[in-house]
Amino acid sequence: MQQKSKLFLQALKYSIPHLGKCMQRQHVNHCNFADHYYNRIKLKKYHLTKCLQNKPRISELARNIPSRNFSCKEFLPIKQENKKSLSENMDAFEKVRTKLETQPQEEYEIINAEIKHGGFVYYQEGCCLVRSKDEEDTDNYEVLFNLEELKLDQPFIDCIRVAPDEKYVAAKIRTEDSEASTCVVVKLSDQPVMEASFPNVSSFEWVKDEEDEDVLFYTFQRNLRCHDVYRATFGDNRRNERFYTEKDPSFFVFLYLTKDSRFLTMNIMNKTTSEVWLIDGMSPWDPPVLIQKRIHGVLYYVEHRDDELYILTNVGEPTEFKLMRTAADTPAIMNWDLFFTMKRNTKVVDLDMFKDHCVLFLKHSNLLYVNVIGLADDSVRSLKLPPWACGFIMDTNSDPKNCPFQLCSPIRPPKYYTYKFAEGKLFEETGHEDPITKTSRVLRIEAKSKDGKLVPMTIFHKTDSEDLQKKPLLVHVYGAYGMDLKMNFRPERRVLVDDGWILAYCHVRGGGELGLQWHADGRLTKKLNGLADLEACIKTLHGQGFSQPSLTTLTAFSAGGVLVGALCNSNPELLRAVTLEAPFLDVLNTMMDTTLPLTLEELEEWGNPSSDEKHKNYIKRYCPYQNIKPQHYPSIHITAYENDERVPLKGIVNYTEKLKEAIVEHAKDTGEGYQAPNIILDIQPGGNHVIEDSHKKITAQIKFLYEELGLDSTSVFENLKKYLKF
């Protein structure tokens, strides 16, 4: 059975760049979107592997390419306070940064995208696609393709698929400064050779036809949209033909191969509705079979086992995900039988199918669970996972006896767990125990929003911290597209906690932490619920003794910028400083511009202000750009990307200019002694949306926060050298 580097919902939700302005982005050493969940992070006591040492790093690119910075203080005649301590702090920062740039990573090894098939492991080594017979012996490998042949700037492998009989391997290749990709097909022989290449491929999968010929299905991406599906064969019977075109511009297409490889599913989706077609994995030239025609508001995803389809869907009441099943030859909705229902306030993170078991990865009331369903007897075993865990990392696996996965948190690197079906037990990886488990605390509390809704929060701080009211606080928020707030391991967050900071993650409405209804209650004409939730969370934190407004900072990226920008307009006194990355700040003008690639796909989230006056007036109430006014604002650091297609730079620049004008006007009315906020716009080159592991961005944001709060940053940058890669 072919190994796949993505699992069910992770593949469908995170691998698709069309789910909005929220997509997750990782370093060169990670796959894009879903794929980065399946790379492994191991605790090591030696330097980086040769692969990472030989590979140019994004931090090097960031240091060598100039950026443009604008500060509001450049425009204001402000009487400055004594800056001696900050100047000394700057000197310390520069000295430590010099050290960081010359020291290799010593503790954590991040392994590239890889896939197992047959007796080989396929992965990237340096600038080459390679394979080896021994997963642990990475020094002995066969080079299959040199990425430099594509003449791209700093290319990396985003995803790998191997043909069923191992005659071919396909790899999607991207660069750090662009979302464009190239899929290369390599013929595996004594002398591997590139058989073909296809531009702008998003998802792709192999199947084998009745004559044992390998067929590659792939989706073509144009202007961030995937509407076309192609199928191609190689060798003597070479062909490449368009198989399907989606005509509704608000939908996109994504391919997923069921875990048993029996069916290739063609998923046609927008953010609230889906339609799935089955392509026979043994007869791919036959017409596809429609499972159920799209019904507005109905989402469903499909897996297969023993001639039965297992369907995760929100059909029926309540409109949360539930598991149903039907015979593969009678797939229509009237034949779906309810198989398993979720508890209230439950988010389905993923589903994995095995020979005799179905495993559901769940988040219930802000805690993680694994439910193991016995398919022979319909038994259910629910396992509550350690309270420190905040996120799953799914592992590729074809072993029918075991279900491996990893758990992580923002301050703790991933740790392996394996559920063994025969024993009916969950086994934890033994060995090194991360000291953060003893030196920090994780708390889960709730804030009451103004309509009475309880909003969950996850809080981290040092165990031995005294007088938490005097500690700096960094609040995280997202609240859009039904996606969870990112809580994967981030070294810089770990370092902040070690340095005495409190981290608070606010799971506001509009996100997906409590299920589909949680998202529905924070989108369209309920978007202000998310703002009310964020305000309640910060006030609750202060009320319970976690920091104070003068030490409170707020961070967000992409669509999370909507709530942050709105809070800066409505309640700026709650905050001291804000950091934003590729923020969505001009909702109204963006959603009225239908020439932008994602506007039509975003209508289900934000509304249609062009044709619906109710939507237009509602967006005007919270849109950050529309509500800027002369008043005191927190200091704001914005990182933007020059050719970002998801969040146009124009909207960010317009927001910054309007904000600076409002601050100048407020300063004139206030008088000479007014201490104006520092507004920094850092425009980075490139066409990507978010570069999560950029050393330049990380250090700039931390430096900004420490300066704004008047804190000594020496120790935090000393500690960063343990984690950041240079």
Side-chain angles (χ1 to χ4, degrees):
M1 183 187 301
Q2 180 180 348
Q3 281 287 331
K4 299 189 289 297
S5 65
K6 303 191 186 96
L7 298 177
F8 204 52
L9 287 183
Q10 298 291 344
L12 294 173
K13 289 189 175 181
Y14 292 105
S15 290
I16 312 166
H18 310 81
L19 282 178
K21 303 173 178 68
C22 51
M23 290 299 97
Q24 304 185 24
R25 189 70 177 82
Q26 291 282 4
H27 188 260
V28 165
N29 307 308
H30 293 252
C31 289
N32 187 34
F33 306 128
D35 294 299
H36 80 259
Y37 280 93
Y38 310 111
N39 299 301
R40 295 171 293 152
I41 303 178
K42 294 182 178 179
L43 198 63
K44 295 290 182 182
K45 292 300 181 184
Y46 48 81
H47 297 298
L48 282 177
T49 59
K50 180 169 64 175
C51 173
L52 299 187
Q53 290 171 335
N54 291 341
K55 196 172 197 175
R57 293 162 179 75
I58 188 60
S59 56
E60 297 171 1
L61 299 176
R63 286 196 298 273
N64 293 329
I65 302 175
S67 63
R68 302 200 298 275
N69 294 272
F70 305 96
S71 171
C72 185
K73 291 181 178 177
E74 297 171 7
F75 301 92
L76 296 177
I78 301 168
K79 181 179 179 181
Q80 299 289 341
E81 297 177 351
N82 185 354
K83 297 292 182 180
K84 182 178 179 181
S85 61
L86 291 182
S87 176
E88 293 173 351
N89 192 24
M90 274 290 297
D91 292 339
F93 164 76
E94 295 298 340
K95 290 177 183 178
V96 173
R97 184 170 68 175
T98 301
K99 285 184 180 181
L100 290 176
E101 293 175 354
T102 59
Q103 294 194 14
Q105 135 79 327
E106 294 180 345
E107 293 195 13
Y108 295 96
E109 173 193 18
I110 302 176
I111 299 177
N112 284 18
E114 66 176 37
I115 190 168
K116 301 175 188 176
H117 187 95
F120 290 95
V121 181
Y122 295 78
Y123 56 97
Q124 181 176 345
E125 177 71 20
C127 289
C128 295
L129 170 64
V130 304
R131 68 176 178 179
S132 64
K133 289 188 176 181
D134 189 341
E135 182 179 1
E136 301 299 326
D137 184 9
T138 57
D139 291 330
N140 297 311
Y141 54 80
E142 175 189 5
V143 175
L144 304 177
F145 179 71
N146 189 334
L147 275 58
E148 294 179 345
E149 291 184 26
L150 298 177
K151 301 188 184 304
L152 299 173
D153 185 24
Q154 314 296 340
F156 67 95
I157 295 177
D158 185 55
C159 187
I160 302 170
R161 294 288 187 268
V162 184
D165 57 3
E166 259 178 312
K167 292 179 182 178
Y168 299 96
V169 60
K172 185 168 71 170
I173 299 166
R174 298 185 55 235
T175 65
E176 275 293 336
D177 62 355
S178 173
E179 293 196 37
S181 62
T182 299
C183 180
V184 298
V185 177
V186 178
K187 184 177 182 180
L188 300 175
S189 60
D190 293 338
Q191 293 184 332
V193 60
M194 185 175 74
E195 185 81 5
S197 67
F198 305 107
N200 301 316
V201 170
S202 179
S203 57
F204 58 106
E205 297 286 357
W206 290 100
V207 295
K208 181 187 288 189
D209 67 12
E210 303 93 324
E211 299 178 359
D212 287 339
E213 185 174 38
D214 294 311
V215 184
L216 180 69
F217 284 78
Y218 65 92
T219 56
F220 178 76
Q221 177 174 306
R222 182 187 295 111
N223 294 327
L224 300 181
R225 300 174 181 175
C226 285
H227 291 157
D228 296 320
V229 181
Y230 288 78
R231 56 186 174 190
T233 56
F234 310 95
D236 296 335
N237 190 25
R238 179 185 296 265
R239 62 182 133 176
N240 185 32
E241 61 187 23
R242 187 164 59 181
F243 174 72
Y244 175 85
T245 296
E246 173 57 37
K247 296 182 179 180
D248 188 332
S250 69
F251 282 74
F252 55 86
V253 186
F254 181 75
L255 301 174
Y256 173 75
L257 189 66
T258 58
K259 190 171 182 180
D260 61 3
S261 300
R262 182 63 183 84
F263 291 104
L264 175 64
T265 64
M266 186 168 65
N267 301 270
I268 305 165
M269 315 167 62
N270 65 16
K271 295 175 179 61
T272 61
T273 305
S274 62
E275 176 179 287
V276 182
W277 293 74
L278 292 180
I279 299 170
D280 194 321
M282 295 185 292
S283 301
W285 303 106
D286 291 348
V289 175
L290 174 64
I291 293 181
Q292 173 58 48
K293 185 178 181 179
R294 67 194 72 171
I295 302 172
H296 181 73
V298 173
L299 291 165
Y300 69 99
Y301 311 99
V302 178
E303 258 291 2
H304 176 266
R305 169 192 171 271
D306 286 353
D307 295 326
E308 286 188 315
L309 300 179
Y310 288 79
I311 302 169
L312 194 63
T313 179
N314 68 334
V315 69
E317 294 294 336
T319 55
E320 297 290 347
F321 277 125
K322 49 194 73 72
L323 191 59
M324 307 183 107
R325 64 182 172 186
T326 184
D329 57 358
T330 56
I333 194 169
M334 70 280 295
N335 300 310
W336 297 0
D337 292 325
L338 184 62
F339 179 58
F340 184 79
T341 57
M342 316 300 166
K343 292 181 180 179
R344 182 182 174 87
N345 294 332
T346 297
K347 164 71 176 281
V348 181
V349 178
D350 212 337
L351 175 152
D352 200 3
M353 188 67 66
F354 295 83
K355 182 178 182 296
D356 297 315
H357 298 85
C358 174
V359 180
L360 289 167
F361 299 87
L362 307 173
K363 181 181 291 184
H364 173 66
S365 297
N366 207 20
L367 291 169
L368 300 186
Y369 292 79
V370 168
N371 278 12
V372 181
I373 304 174
L375 299 178
D377 56 5
D378 292 349
S379 62
V380 179
R381 179 163 189 184
S382 183
L383 303 172
K384 185 177 181 180
L385 299 174
W388 64 262
C390 300
F392 292 102
I393 300 176
M394 307 308 171
D395 211 335
T396 58
N397 177 49
S398 62
D399 183 357
K401 299 179 181 179
N402 301 312
C403 177
F405 58 91
Q406 297 176 70
L407 298 177
C408 66
S409 86
I411 64 172
R412 178 169 175 167
K415 185 171 186 178
Y416 270 102
Y417 289 79
T418 300
Y419 184 83
K420 297 188 176 182
F421 297 116
E423 290 89 339
K425 295 181 181 178
L426 184 66
F427 291 84
E428 179 180 356
E429 177 188 29
T430 58
H432 177 85
E433 184 64 30
D434 197 303
I436 197 72
T437 57
K438 296 181 179 179
T439 60
S440 69
R441 293 183 65 194
V442 56
L443 304 173
R444 288 176 171 85
I445 66 173
E446 293 178 321
K448 181 178 285 189
S449 197
K450 66 180 183 180
D451 63 355
K453 186 71 70 173
L454 295 178
V455 184
M457 290 185 283
T458 309
I459 302 170
F460 303 89
H461 68 82
K462 287 183 70 173
T463 304
D464 60 359
S465 289
E466 298 180 357
D467 199 356
L468 290 172
Q469 193 170 17
K470 295 181 179 179
K471 298 298 182 182
L473 167 66
L474 180 59
V475 178
H476 300 70
V477 71
Y478 187 71
Y481 303 111
M483 295 190 67
D484 293 6
L485 184 58
K486 289 196 300 180
M487 301 192 72
N488 53 310
F489 173 62
R490 298 300 313 156
E492 64 272 22
R493 302 300 185 237
R494 163 76 165 261
V495 169
L496 288 177
V497 169
D498 287 340
D499 205 42
W501 283 67
I502 304 166
L503 304 184
Y505 291 76
C506 303
H507 310 294
V508 303
R509 281 174 283 184
E513 287 87 347
L514 297 184
L516 296 177
Q517 191 60 46
W518 197 247
H519 171 221
D521 288 343
R523 68 180 183 94
L524 296 176
T525 54
K526 295 182 179 180
K527 183 60 70 174
L528 283 169
N529 284 340
L531 176 60
D533 293 352
L534 177 58
E535 179 183 335
C537 285
I538 295 176
K539 289 181 177 179
T540 298
L541 288 166
H542 294 161
Q544 294 194 16
F546 295 101
S547 195
Q548 54 188 288
S550 62
L551 293 173
T552 296
T553 64
L554 179 58
T555 187
F557 78 100
S558 194
V562 173
L563 297 183
V564 173
L567 185 69
C568 289
N569 289 328
S570 64
N571 291 90
E573 70 280 356
L574 294 177
L575 306 169
R576 177 66 185 86
V578 169
T579 64
L580 296 169
E581 184 175 7
F584 189 29
L585 297 166
D586 191 359
V587 182
L588 183 61
N589 289 323
T590 300
M591 294 308 299
M592 293 187 71
D593 186 353
T594 56
T595 65
L596 294 174
L598 295 181
T599 296
L600 294 178
E601 293 181 12
E602 302 283 291
L603 296 179
E604 294 282 353
E605 182 70 22
W606 310 101
N608 190 348
S610 296
S611 62
D612 191 320
E613 196 67 21
K614 180 182 177 182
H615 286 171
K616 183 177 181 179
N617 292 333
Y618 190 85
I619 292 173
K620 283 182 178 179
R621 293 172 59 188
Y622 68 81
C623 175
Y625 176 77
Q626 298 293 327
N627 290 281
I628 293 173
K629 56 192 174 186
Q631 64 174 8
H632 180 74
Y633 279 88
S635 292
I636 301 176
H637 182 286
I638 301 175
T639 304
Y641 299 95
E642 200 163 29
N643 299 313
D644 189 339
E645 294 183 86
R646 301 184 181 281
V647 178
L649 180 61
K650 178 182 177 181
I652 298 175
V653 171
N654 290 344
Y655 170 86
T656 306
E657 291 176 349
K658 186 175 180 179
L659 181 61
K660 289 190 293 187
E661 291 172 359
I663 291 172
V664 170
E665 185 176 346
H666 179 67
K668 289 178 181 178
D669 296 337
T670 305
E672 185 179 346
Y674 174 63
Q675 183 68 39
N678 193 18
I679 308 299
I680 298 174
L681 174 57
D682 180 5
I683 302 176
Q684 294 292 315
N688 261 321
H689 181 45
V690 175
I691 303 178
E692 192 167 9
D693 281 340
S694 164
H695 161 247
K696 181 181 178 65
K697 181 203 71 177
I698 291 171
T699 54
Q701 289 180 348
I702 292 180
K703 171 188 166 187
F704 170 80
L705 293 177
Y706 271 76
E707 284 184 354
E708 290 300 325
L709 271 60
L711 303 175
D712 182 2
S713 63
T714 305
S715 61
V716 72
F717 285 108
E718 283 284 1
N719 288 333
L720 268 177
K721 69 185 180 184
K722 299 177 182 177
Y723 306 101
L724 296 184
K725 303 172 287 297
F726 300 97

